[in-house]
Amino acid sequence: MMIYYAHHIWKYGTKIEDFELFVINKHFHDSYIHNPAVFVNPNESEESIMRDCFSKIDASDALVFSDLSGVAGKGVISEIEYAQSLGLRVYRIVANRLVEITEKIRYNLLNTGCNRIYAEIVA
C-alpha cells in the first residue's frame, strides 16, 4: 500500500516528523510512505512543488495528514482536497492514532498578515 504523508515543512527532519511516521507505520504495516520531506526541492516554485506532490498522491492509496494545533498550510489543504477529489481515503493524525476523515475537508482561512496562507481545520 502507498501512503502520502502531508505535513507542514516546519516538521521536516524533526522528531515530530519521526513520531508521525511511526504512527503511520503502526497503522499501515509494510506500506511505502511518500514523504515530501524526501523529494521536495525547496528552491522550486510552489507550483512545481505542488505538481510533484500531486503526482505522488496520484500513485498513492491513501493520504495521511497532520496539522499544528488544528492549523494547516495551504499546501497541506490542497493535498487533502486533491486526494479527496480522487476518492482516496484520508486520515488525520490525532495524538498517537489516525482518524479517517469521511467528509469533505472543511476549514476557515486565517488572515496571518504574512505571505503564507493558513487554515484552521473545522472537521
Side-chain angles (χ1 to χ4, degrees):
M1 183 171 214
M2 303 282 232
I3 308 298
Y4 185 88
Y5 170 38
H7 59 302
H8 198 282
I9 194 168
W10 291 343
K11 293 183 180 182
Y12 290 10
T14 67
K15 291 185 186 293
I16 295 170
E17 182 183 57
D18 291 343
F19 175 75
E20 291 180 348
L21 287 166
F22 170 79
V23 171
I24 295 167
N25 279 309
K26 186 172 70 171
H27 188 89
F28 293 105
H29 307 285
D30 300 322
S31 292
Y32 180 82
I33 300 173
H34 292 290
N35 182 353
V38 174
F39 66 82
V40 162
N41 179 350
N43 297 320
E44 295 288 327
S45 69
E46 188 148 347
E47 181 179 301
S48 176
I49 289 170
M50 292 311 298
R51 196 170 33 251
D52 291 344
C53 293
F54 290 160
S55 76
K56 299 291 187 189
I57 294 169
D58 287 335
S60 297
D61 300 299
L63 178 141
V64 175
F65 75 95
S66 68
D67 52 73
L68 298 163
S69 299
V71 176
K74 178 184 177 190
V76 171
I77 295 294
S78 296
E79 291 164 334
I80 295 166
E81 289 179 325
Y82 186 73
Q84 287 185 323
S85 77
L86 297 175
L88 297 183
R89 295 176 84 169
V90 173
Y91 299 85
R92 182 180 188 181
I93 298 174
V94 178
N96 62 351
R97 62 191 175 90
L98 300 184
V99 175
E100 187 170 5
I101 305 298
T102 57
E103 296 181 11
K104 186 176 183 321
I105 192 78
R106 293 183 302 133
Y107 55 90
N108 298 318
L109 291 178
L110 302 174
N111 182 357
T112 60
C114 65
N115 64 348
R116 299 292 302 167
I117 298 172
Y118 295 96
E120 177 185 33
I121 297 170
V122 177

